[in-house]
């Protein structure tokens, strides 16, 4: 395999002028020629739907795919809290530079500076775009947009639509996509999953998909492939992701030569509903906007089993306010999550199994009245009650951290193109903007920035500068890829072993949660790296899948995804082991300050890890993209 | 490609037909009731009213034909919509539980059909004399058709009066849902006004039931004779 | 808890289906309804049988994927709750539960409890959008929108497109779904511009898909997990008549 070279394509010039300059430097495609280019978009979340709609508006011929039964159901829909934008509508000192700085700092100085600055720049246009589409953002009585504050920021820059911001933004993008579908410029192919990337003469030229309803395996050829396939949180089995979210598409691309960057950067969200038992199929997140009005605490005494209301004020430890006085309950996600874990590790956790901390609204209810709290969070309180049977207006919520987002993803350059020319990666599926930790309300921003305002510019440049003819779907590479997909499905169906797919997934998830979760260390990671191959081997000899490949077979779908997680988790643990420092969501217990905070090692680890696949039993090759900061000074992250 | 004709033939178009004809029939039911209640003002008033109607054949027949057309459209739209609605669910549920839906709302076709057959009976009874031709031959002192006596004689049979009461009960059940639904279909059930419509529908149904039933009841009790 | 399940099993869209009875053992009250089905499926797999196919994704009540009629009620009939958020604490030990797919001509069964709801997508494609292009939009605060209007639009916009309204309606009508989108966009000034065209096209698409019509029973509102109000249907009825009177598009 050829040694890949990471060329980040960061434009020259001052940081704040890079994107404008780059937009001018990008080559254009003649409007009349655009329809000749076929773009395949995989995934229809915020990034995928916005990209597909915008590319179609520009005149490209677009086909888009999603595994859900409708593009509107992509998991972006579950984002609750909001979307950041540097509008400074509140006159509280926000600016593009401040949003940029907060994001870089929040990411613990492990994100690519130029991308983050561009993100902050286009954030402003996103809100304009969404409002024009009819997204019903919350308003003030005067008719102007309302904002709330969010974790990791000291300004109010978060736009929201009740507790369903992700839903409303996705529906906006979905409607734009539907409009194009109605006009015939986009073809939407739902209930279909991408199982292989097809590379012809070094360029991504198509995909192999399986129609999940009929089992038919087929190929689609295009001039470029855009993957907006989300993150890999479900590697942990229990996460806040939808049960269908998976790493398969990204992992197939990795195996076909796309570098995978920073797989160990995973985010643990502090405000999820605690696990209630082994039957649990997913974890439910509650927006961290709750932390605006809720106070996080645990009893001071170990093993204090009294009811929350019976614990006197003096016996409570508001640990976030105590440890981080200036940010308090709004400390960034990684810090809040770890602080909760520490409290539980000390035996001060609450609820079944001691895996939970209180999130208490009684002070806010006293101050603002129950109606105001109801107005802000009614749907979250209702959701909490449905799941736990408890009324959080009367007693504090119990929360615990859960895997929620993955900052790592396929490596992309400034143009969002992976190391495979013609393969573009957007949204959570790429690695680019959040470094080692993402701030709240920034995922929606990034997904829409990539889809509406970045890719539509950069993809044209690829077409204008790479005149590679589109092969037909009967090309030998497609045939071979289809055969590989069919063979793999056949292999899975013929194992007929004794263990269910779910039991493997659960075992794998528990292992990586323990060894590569909120806190990691060399010993644990090495143990995981030893156990995963054994687990994989057992999977391929002892998994049981009933039914056939010729119809809807959800067990088979799940098996294919778990098979990929079984390989991917090894890469994640390897990356975590190699990154011998702590940063953001990657907390190595060997590297912490006396106060237990993450200690970065900028001298040795100020780089992006990009892994190149070498074959199943070969160690992947690590490539390093150095991180150089012009606009900010790298500092110890402090939220005290 | 989209003619206004096909638009009126859309599901919403047919609902407008239901609603507008329903509103007209509701108006007629009220007018008819008010006219009939004159029986309590005495024989003279009622018979004069009857004679007045007969003296304007153009108006009378115009109204009758208009009503016939209205009923026809109402029934036509109901049948078409019902056919479409049935086709929309070819496989039925094994278990069904009505949730949020009143009995009246679920049985509009049934109550409507029974009311329609009741109307036929009613016309045969008092308008065409098909059941008892003698009823139409009564004359009062002034030589006018004695409507008063016709009603009293017509309702003096217990069986007939009970059938009228049942017919009215179904009509009013039909109206208790229909009147509020027609405002919904016409898009008028919105705003503050919208909150009153359900109440208005129920009250008007009760008033119509009470008003119309008071006549056979009064005859049976011997109050009118 | 031990339960008896009567589940609709259907191999594919064309095969006839039937009810099959299963025992669900060791069910605990903290499980969600879908986790209960997961457990039953694990048992079926262990016996070499094909598990019950059912749709679900986010399992937190927002994606609208899960879709099953539980004891005659879409999503089980708990107020403002999708099947994935329904918890077993609401059922009693020894109960028999009948589980069926959404039933509507416009929602053909794919397999077991999974149905094809692409009809909803086609209705949105007919007009459920604001015709703006990416970029070139005015500043977001240029159009003030009163809080009551913004809130009302949001009430309608909350629809998750699950199809429970269709499943519950005795006429398999999609009016609540369509009305929610027509109202969401029609209430806001951005969407008001093409309000007439939108409602005509969406209703036409709805009829074409073979949904029934609205007889105002209110079942849809009662089962809607997002509690979308019937008043939006009245609103759509008005919008439609107004655009008819204006002479169509």
């Amino acid at each position: 395999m050829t040694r890949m070279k990471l060329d980040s394509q960061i434009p020259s010039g001052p940081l704040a002028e890079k994107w404008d300059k780059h937009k001018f430097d990008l080559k254009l495609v003649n409007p009349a020629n655009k329809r000749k280019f076929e773009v395949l978009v995989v995934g229809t979340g915020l990034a995928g739907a916005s990209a597909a709609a915008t590319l179609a508006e520009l005149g490209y011929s677009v086909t888009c795919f999603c595994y859900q039964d409708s593009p509107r159901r992509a998991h972006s829909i579950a984002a609750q809290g909001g979307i950041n934008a540097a509008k400074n509508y509140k006159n509280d000192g926000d600016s593009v530079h401040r949003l940029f700085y907060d994001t870089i700092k929040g990411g613990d100085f492990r994100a690519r500076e130029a991308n983050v600055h561009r993100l902050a720049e286009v954030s402003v246009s996103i809100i304009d775009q969404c409002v024009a589409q009819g997204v019903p953002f919350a308003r003030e009585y005067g008719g102007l947009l309302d904002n709330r504050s969010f974790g990791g920021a000291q300004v109010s820059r978060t736009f929201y639509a009740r507790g369903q911001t992700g839903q409303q933004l996705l529906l906006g993008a979905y409607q734009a996509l539907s409009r194009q579908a109605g006009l015939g410029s986009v073809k939407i192919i739902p209930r279909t999953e991408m199982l292989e990337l097809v590379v012809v003469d070094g360029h991504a030229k198509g995909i192999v998909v399986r129609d999940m309803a009929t089992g038919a395996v087929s190929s689609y050829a295009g001039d470029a492939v855009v993957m907006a396939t989300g993150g890999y949180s479900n590697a942990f089995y229990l996460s806040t992701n939808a049960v269908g979210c998976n790493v398969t598409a990204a992992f197939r691309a990795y195996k076909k030569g796309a570098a995978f960057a920073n797989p160990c950067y995973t985010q643990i969200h502090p405000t999820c509903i605690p696990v209630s038992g082994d039957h649990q199929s997913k974890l439910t997140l509650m927006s961290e906007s709750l932390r605006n009005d809720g106070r996080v605490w645990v009893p001071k005494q170990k093993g204090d089993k009294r009811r929350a209301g019976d614990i006197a004020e003096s016996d409570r430890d508001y640990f976030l306010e105590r440890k981080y006085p200036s940010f308090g309950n709004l400390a960034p996600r990684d810090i809040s999550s770890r602080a909760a874990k520490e409290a539980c590790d000390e035996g001060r956790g609450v609820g079944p199994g001691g895996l939970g901390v209180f999130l208490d609204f009684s002070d806010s209810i006293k101050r603002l009245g129950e109606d105001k709290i109801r107005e802000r969070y009614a749907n979250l309180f209702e959701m909490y009650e449905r799941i736990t049977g408890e009324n959080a207006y009367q007693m504090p919520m119990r929360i615990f951290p859960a895997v929620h987002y993955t900052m790592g993803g396929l490596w992309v350059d400034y143009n969002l193109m992976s190391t495979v020319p013609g393969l573009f990666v957007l949204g959570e599926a790429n690695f680019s903007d959040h470094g080692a930790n993402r701030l709240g309300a920034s995922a929606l921003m990034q997904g829409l920035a990539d889809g509406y305002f970045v890719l539509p510019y950069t993809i044209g440049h690829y077409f204008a500068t790479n005149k590679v003819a589109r092969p037909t779907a009967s090309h030998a590479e497609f045939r071979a890829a289809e055969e590989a997909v069919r063979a793999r499905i056949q292999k899975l169906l013929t194992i007929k072993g004794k263990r269910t797919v779910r039991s493997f997934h659960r075992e794998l998830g528990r292992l990586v949660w323990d060894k590569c979760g909120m806190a990691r260390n060399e010993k644990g990671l090495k143990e995981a790296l030893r156990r995963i191959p054994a687990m994989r081997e057992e999977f391929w000899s002892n998994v049981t899948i009933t039914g056939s490949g010729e119809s809807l077979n959800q067990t088979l779908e799940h098996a294919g995804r778990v098979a990929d997680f079984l390989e991917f988790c090894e890469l994640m643990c390897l990356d975590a082991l190699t990154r011998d420092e702590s940063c953001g969501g990657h907390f190595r217990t060997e590297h912490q300050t006396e106060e237990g905070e993450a200690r970065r090692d900028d001298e040795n680890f100020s780089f992006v890890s990009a892994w190149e696949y070498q074959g199943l039993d070969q160690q992947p090759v690590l490539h390093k993209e150095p991180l150089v900061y012009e606009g900010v000074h790298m500092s110890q992250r402090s939220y005290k | 490609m989209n003619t206004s004709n096909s638009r009126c033939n859309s599901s919403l178009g047919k609902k407008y037909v239901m609603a507008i004809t329903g509103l007209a029939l509701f108006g007629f039911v009220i007018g008819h009731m008010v006219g009939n209640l004159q029986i309590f003002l005495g024989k003279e008033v009622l018979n004069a009213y009857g004679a007045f109607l007969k003296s304007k054949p153009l108006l009378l027949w115009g109204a009758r034909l208009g009503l016939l057309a209205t009923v026809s459209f109402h029934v036509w739209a109901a049948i078409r919509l019902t056919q479409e609605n049935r086709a929309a669910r070819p496989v039925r549920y094994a278990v069904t539980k009505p949730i949020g839906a009143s009995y009246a709302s679920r049985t509009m076709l049934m109550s409507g059909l029974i009311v329609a057959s009741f109307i036929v009976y009613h016309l045969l009874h008092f308008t065409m004399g098909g059941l008892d031709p003698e009823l139409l031959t009564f004359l009062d002192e002034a030589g006018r058709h004695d409507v008063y006596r016709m009603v009293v004689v017509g309702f003096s049979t217990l069986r007939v009066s009970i059938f009228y009461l049942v017919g009215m009960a179904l009509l009013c059940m039909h109206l208790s849902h229909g009147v509020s639904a027609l405002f919904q279909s016409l898009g008028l059930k919105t705003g503050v006004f919208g909150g009153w419509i359900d109440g208005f529908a129920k009250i008007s149904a009760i008033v119509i039931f009470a008003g119309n039933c008071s006549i056979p009841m009064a005859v049976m009790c011997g109050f009118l004779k | 808890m031990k339960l008896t399940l009567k589940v609709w099993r259907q191999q594919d869209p064309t095969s006839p289906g039937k009810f099959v009875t299963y025992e669900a053992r060791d069910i605990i009250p903290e499980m969600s309804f879908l986790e209960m089905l997961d457990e039953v499926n694990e048992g079926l797999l262990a016996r070499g049988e094909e598990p019950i196919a059912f749709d679900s994704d986010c399992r937190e009540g927002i994606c609208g994927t899960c879709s099953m009629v539980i004891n005659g009620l879409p999503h089980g009939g708990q107020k403002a709750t999708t099947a994935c958020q329904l918890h077993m604490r609401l059922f009693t030990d020894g109960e028999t539960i009948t589980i069926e797919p959404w039933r509507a001509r416009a929602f053909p069964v794919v397999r077991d409890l999974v149905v094809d709801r692409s009809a909803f997508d086609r209705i949105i494609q007919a007009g459920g959008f604001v015709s703006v292009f990416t970029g070139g939009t005015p500043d977001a605060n240029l159009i003030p929108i009163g809080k009551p209007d913004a809130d009302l639009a949001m009430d309608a916009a909350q629809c998750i497109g699950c199809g429970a309204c269709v499943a519950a309606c005795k006429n398999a009508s999609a009016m609540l779904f369509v009305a929610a989108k027509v109202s969401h966009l029609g209430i806001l000034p951005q969407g008001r511009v093409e309000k007439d065209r939108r409602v005509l096209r969406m209703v036409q698409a709805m009829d074409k898909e073979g949904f029934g019509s609205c007889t105002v029973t209110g079942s849809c509102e009662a089962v809607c997990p997002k509690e979308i109000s019937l008043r939006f249907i009245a609103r759509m009825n008005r919008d439609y008549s107004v655009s008819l009177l204006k002479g169509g598009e």
Side-chain angles (χ1 to χ4, degrees):
Chain A
M1 202 169 263
T2 53
R3 292 276 297 181
M4 65 174 58
K5 206 173 137 280
L6 300 177
D7 181 356
S8 58
Q9 303 275 350
I10 298 170
S12 57
L15 184 60
E17 289 163 30
K18 283 181 194 293
W19 178 231
D20 277 339
K21 175 179 175 294
H22 191 62
K23 277 194 286 189
F24 181 73
D25 291 341
L26 290 170
K27 299 271 181 297
L28 300 174
V29 176
N30 181 321
N33 284 338
K34 285 195 177 113
R35 67 186 161 77
K36 294 179 190 157
F37 292 99
E38 173 75 33
V39 186
L40 307 175
V41 180
V42 186
T44 57
L46 286 183
S50 60
T54 306
L55 293 176
E57 285 168 8
L58 289 172
Y60 293 109
S61 169
V62 179
T63 307
C64 75
F65 305 83
C66 62
Y67 78 76
Q68 296 87 352
D69 71 330
S70 162
R72 67 178 293 149
R73 308 201 197 284
H75 197 60
S76 305
I77 204 157
Q80 298 167 357
I83 177 166
N84 286 332
K87 282 283 197 185
N88 194 30
Y89 282 162
K90 290 282 166 170
N91 195 32
D92 56 0
D94 200 9
S95 63
V96 166
H97 192 78
R98 187 175 296 279
L99 174 55
F100 154 74
Y101 179 75
D102 286 349
T103 309
I104 286 278
K105 179 187 169 197
D108 218 358
F109 302 94
R110 289 292 176 266
R112 188 192 285 151
E113 188 186 49
N115 287 51
V116 177
H117 200 279
R118 173 177 65 190
L119 176 67
E121 286 171 57
V122 302
S123 69
V124 177
S125 311
I126 295 171
I127 302 302
D128 299 342
Q129 179 64 29
C130 295
V131 165
Q133 286 171 342
V135 171
F137 283 122
R139 301 262 165 180
E140 305 275 11
Y141 279 98
L144 302 185
L145 290 156
D146 192 15
N147 289 113
R148 55 164 66 140
S149 53
F150 232 78
Q154 287 171 309
V155 292
S156 282
R157 63 159 76 98
T158 305
F159 295 80
Y160 66 101
R162 290 193 194 145
Q164 291 124 287
T165 317
Q167 180 198 26
Q168 294 310 313
L169 295 176
L170 181 64
L171 292 180
Y174 160 74
Q175 284 163 203
L177 177 66
S178 297
R179 173 170 165 249
Q180 294 304 315
L183 294 169
S185 41
V186 171
K187 194 165 174 230
I188 301 172
I189 306 185
R191 226 188 257 285
T192 298
E193 65 178 342
M194 167 180 164
L195 292 179
E196 205 58 86
L197 175 75
V198 181
V199 180
V200 179
D201 300 331
H203 287 254
K205 287 293 168 199
I207 57 174
V208 174
V209 299
R210 178 171 181 270
D211 177 329
M212 290 151 74
T214 65
V217 171
S218 58
S219 294
Y220 287 84
D223 294 284
V225 176
V226 176
M227 281 181 29
T229 51
Y232 46 85
S233 296
N234 276 348
F236 294 86
Y237 181 62
L238 286 183
S239 81
T240 66
N241 278 192
V243 291
C245 294
N246 63 81
V247 78
T248 292
F251 202 69
R252 291 321 158 100
Y254 164 68
K255 285 184 151 184
K256 286 287 173 82
F260 209 111
N262 301 333
C264 78
Y265 290 165
T266 52
Q267 182 167 73
I268 315 284
H269 194 287
T271 52
C272 299
I273 300 175
V275 178
S276 65
D278 259 1
H279 58 271
Q280 195 108 11
S281 59
K282 78 143 310 178
L283 295 170
T284 304
L285 174 149
M286 289 176 302
S287 168
E288 71 175 326
S289 63
L290 287 169
R291 291 199 279 146
N292 274 313
D293 290 306
R295 297 178 70 195
V296 177
W297 65 275
V298 290
K300 279 186 179 161
Q301 289 294 318
K302 256 188 212 179
D304 190 338
K305 292 290 162 211
R306 285 180 291 171
R307 287 178 45 234
D310 299 338
I311 301 176
E313 199 61 27
S314 57
D315 290 340
R316 300 176 176 192
D317 177 16
Y318 294 90
F319 57 87
L320 287 177
E321 295 171 23
R322 174 173 57 81
K323 289 180 162 174
Y324 311 101
S326 62
F327 278 71
N329 294 297
L330 290 177
R333 291 177 172 175
D334 53 338
I335 289 176
S336 309
S337 297
R338 217 153 41 232
K341 179 186 183 320
E342 275 164 24
C344 295
D345 289 349
E346 290 160 18
R348 300 193 289 146
V350 297
L355 291 175
V357 299
F358 287 127
L359 179 62
D360 197 336
F361 291 87
S362 52
D363 285 354
S364 298
I365 290 174
K366 256 180 244 151
R367 193 175 71 247
L368 303 165
E370 192 174 315
D371 286 347
K372 191 72 192 173
I373 296 298
R374 200 178 291 278
E375 185 192 319
R376 286 185 187 163
Y377 311 110
N379 64 325
L380 298 172
F381 278 59
E382 282 162 21
M383 178 151 119
Y384 182 78
E385 182 166 4
R386 268 196 295 276
I387 293 173
T388 63
E390 294 172 4
N391 179 344
Y393 294 105
Q394 286 161 10
M395 57 170 103
M397 287 183 176
R398 286 175 297 110
I399 56 168
F400 196 66
V403 183
H404 165 60
Y405 186 87
T406 55
M407 284 74 67
L410 292 176
W411 184 91
V412 289
D413 63 16
Y414 191 71
N415 293 322
L416 302 182
M417 190 161 83
S418 71
T419 51
V420 177
L423 173 66
F424 293 82
V425 188
L426 317 185
E428 190 180 351
N430 74 26
F431 86 105
S432 74
D433 293 356
H434 307 297
N437 176 53
R438 177 176 66 74
L439 292 183
S442 285
L444 302 182
M445 173 172 69
Q446 186 220 340
L448 291 180
D450 288 359
Y452 283 135
F453 296 111
V454 180
L455 181 79
Y457 290 89
T458 60
I459 202 169
H461 180 75
Y462 168 74
F463 292 140
T465 54
N466 287 276
K467 312 274 188 212
V468 190
R470 178 173 74 233
T472 64
S474 55
H475 187 282
E477 287 289 345
F478 282 94
R479 292 276 179 76
E482 273 184 34
E483 273 324 300
V485 166
R486 288 199 187 94
R488 188 176 151 92
I489 290 170
Q490 210 42 48
K491 193 170 163 197
L492 283 168
L493 286 167
T494 45
I495 297 168
K496 300 208 179 297
K498 295 263 180 280
R499 278 186 66 184
T500 60
V501 179
R502 190 176 296 274
S503 77
F504 280 104
H505 196 175
R506 196 181 280 139
E507 185 187 347
L508 175 69
R510 210 167 274 166
L511 177 70
V512 287
W513 172 251
D514 286 344
K515 309 295 177 196
C516 196
M518 260 186 286
R520 299 131 184 216
N521 59 47
E522 186 182 348
K523 184 167 162 277
L525 290 166
K526 283 190 167 156
E527 189 192 329
L529 284 168
R530 206 171 45 246
R531 281 174 54 190
I532 294 168
M535 219 182 278
R536 189 163 63 223
E537 200 170 312
E538 196 200 342
F539 176 87
W540 282 103
S541 60
N542 196 27
V543 75
T544 179
I545 301 162
T546 52
S548 78
E550 275 88 57
S551 64
L552 183 74
N553 188 337
Q554 293 170 324
T555 317
L556 177 64
E557 292 159 17
H558 191 195
R561 294 166 189 170
V562 172
D564 286 325
F565 280 133
L566 279 164
E567 291 181 43
F568 170 76
C569 284
E570 206 177 342
L571 180 67
M572 183 168 75
C573 292
L574 176 65
D575 187 45
L577 182 65
T578 312
R579 187 164 285 279
D580 197 12
E581 63 157 354
S582 292
C583 58
H586 171 64
F587 188 76
R588 286 281 299 259
T589 55
E590 302 96 319
H591 304 286
Q592 50 183 313
T593 63
E594 289 76 38
E595 293 127 334
E597 303 299 341
R599 180 183 279 144
R600 284 199 325 264
D601 178 356
D602 291 338
E603 202 168 312
N604 296 306
F605 290 95
S606 186
F607 60 80
V608 174
S609 306
W611 297 92
E612 183 186 7
Y613 184 72
Q614 298 290 318
L616 184 55
D617 295 317
Q618 306 282 320
Q619 174 114 340
V621 173
L622 174 65
H623 300 270
K624 298 175 183 177
E625 179 197 339
L627 290 167
V628 185
Y629 294 95
E630 298 164 17
V632 294
H633 172 66
M634 288 173 91
S635 61
Q636 173 75 36
R637 211 160 57 122
S638 170
Y639 290 93
K640 287 191 183 289
Chain B
M1 76 179 178
N2 301 314
T3 62
S4 59
N5 180 36
S6 74
R7 287 278 158 67
C8 293
N9 209 6
S10 68
S11 60
L12 262 61
K14 280 180 288 232
K15 291 302 292 187
Y16 295 149
V17 173
M18 285 302 286
I20 292 165
T21 54
L23 184 63
L25 293 171
F26 175 63
F28 169 75
V29 167
I30 290 181
H32 188 50
M33 177 183 76
V34 171
N36 290 351
L37 285 175
Q38 294 178 76
I39 195 166
F40 291 106
L41 299 177
K43 186 175 178 174
E44 176 52 34
V45 178
L46 187 69
N47 288 358
Y49 172 63
F52 166 75
L53 291 180
K54 285 264 169 68
S55 68
K56 303 273 188 287
L58 215 59
L59 193 76
L60 182 67
W61 280 100
R64 282 174 173 174
L65 289 174
L67 274 172
L68 185 67
T70 309
V71 170
S72 309
F73 275 117
H74 197 72
V75 172
W76 167 80
I79 290 172
R80 283 296 309 279
L81 284 167
T82 305
Q83 285 171 338
E84 287 166 14
N85 293 344
R86 296 231 163 122
R89 175 159 296 136
V91 183
R92 312 256 129 198
Y93 289 111
V95 181
T96 47
K97 271 191 205 139
I99 179 169
S102 65
Y103 184 74
S105 73
R106 288 180 281 121
T107 51
M108 288 299 277
L109 184 77
M110 239 344 129
S111 58
L113 287 175
I114 296 172
V115 168
S117 50
F118 168 77
I119 293 170
V120 172
Y121 176 86
H122 179 54
L123 290 174
L124 282 173
H125 191 194
F126 285 139
T127 310
M128 295 188 271
L131 302 176
D132 182 3
E134 209 196 335
L135 289 178
L136 300 186
T137 61
F138 297 144
L139 294 179
D140 68 0
E141 296 76 8
R144 299 171 300 199
H145 173 215
D146 192 346
V147 182
Y148 187 90
R149 194 169 157 220
M150 174 180 82
V151 173
V152 172
V153 173
F155 284 144
S156 55
T157 321
L158 182 68
R159 191 159 42 81
V160 173
S161 290
I162 288 176
F163 183 60
Y164 267 81
L165 295 186
V166 172
M168 276 309 113
L170 283 164
L171 172 67
C172 295
M173 191 173 86
H174 195 77
L175 290 178
S176 72
H177 175 71
V179 171
S180 98
L182 77 86
F183 283 98
Q184 170 84 359
S185 295
L186 292 175
L188 301 174
K189 202 175 159 186
T190 54
V192 183
F193 182 54
W196 304 344
I197 286 174
D198 285 337
F200 170 73
K202 290 209 173 64
I203 291 167
S204 59
I206 291 167
V207 168
I208 289 168
F209 179 77
N212 281 340
C213 290
S214 66
I215 301 170
M217 295 288 277
V219 172
M220 295 311 294
C221 301
F223 182 74
L224 292 174
K225 52 191 167 215
Chain C
M1 280 164 86
K2 204 181 106 186
L3 300 158
T4 305
L5 307 181
K6 282 176 67 188
V7 185
W8 181 260
R9 300 300 306 260
Q10 182 172 341
Q11 187 69 24
D12 54 55
T14 47
S15 308
K18 63 172 193 297
F19 282 99
V20 180
T21 305
Y22 300 97
E23 292 268 283
R25 290 165 192 279
D26 305 324
I27 300 305
I28 60 167
E30 286 78 24
M31 283 180 180
S32 73
F33 196 82
L34 302 189
E35 284 165 351
M36 182 275 290
L37 286 178
D38 287 341
E39 284 298 305
V40 171
N41 278 345
E42 288 289 283
L44 289 175
L45 278 164
R47 296 205 300 271
E49 292 176 40
E50 288 193 50
I52 302 158
F54 62 91
D55 260 335
S56 79
D57 205 23
C58 79
R59 296 208 177 186
E60 55 184 89
I62 191 72
C63 72
T65 308
C66 58
S67 47
M68 54 185 77
V69 173
I70 300 163
N71 285 338
L73 296 171
H75 292 307
Q78 195 195 359
K79 187 173 163 343
T81 304
T82 53
C84 64
Q85 298 255 284
L86 189 70
H87 278 67
M88 297 312 292
R89 68 176 76 91
L90 298 169
F91 294 85
T92 48
D93 192 22
E95 199 175 334
T96 298
I97 304 174
T98 307
I99 312 172
E100 300 172 75
W102 282 178
R103 296 278 189 207
R105 182 172 58 166
F107 290 165
V109 172
V110 176
R111 186 187 177 117
D112 298 345
L113 304 173
V114 177
V115 297
D116 176 357
R117 285 168 289 189
S118 52
F120 272 7
D121 289 322
R122 290 188 290 274
I123 293 173
I124 298 293
Q125 285 163 17
F129 44 75
V130 177
S131 299
V132 289
F133 287 86
T134 303
T137 49
D139 185 86
N141 257 347
L142 209 62
I143 317 163
I145 301 171
K147 186 166 160 46
D149 274 353
D151 285 346
L152 188 63
M154 183 63 200
D155 287 343
Q158 292 190 86
C159 169
I160 57 174
C162 65
C165 46
V166 174
C169 177
K170 75 181 182 67
N171 310 324
S173 167
M175 287 285 277
L176 194 63
F177 168 78
V178 180
K181 189 48 66 193
V182 164
S183 302
H184 157 211
L185 297 175
I187 291 164
L188 297 172
Q190 306 93 301
R192 214 169 286 154
V193 181
E194 53 187 328
K195 184 169 165 240
D196 295 336
R197 189 174 101 116
R198 177 182 307 119
V199 68
L200 292 174
R201 291 187 169 198
M202 288 182 75
V203 168
Q204 187 181 36
M206 172 182 83
D207 286 351
K208 199 175 144 205
E209 295 293 342
F211 290 104
S213 61
C214 176
T215 48
V216 205
T217 67
S219 300
C220 52
E221 183 185 43
V223 301
C224 175
K226 295 294 153 189
E227 302 183 289
I228 311 268
S229 165
L230 270 188
R231 290 201 174 192
F232 292 120
I233 295 184
R235 195 181 178 97
M236 175 165 85
N237 287 331
R238 188 177 57 202
D239 288 351
Y240 189 83
S241 60
V242 167
S243 49
L244 275 190
L245 292 173
K246 283 186 188 167
E249 294 183 13

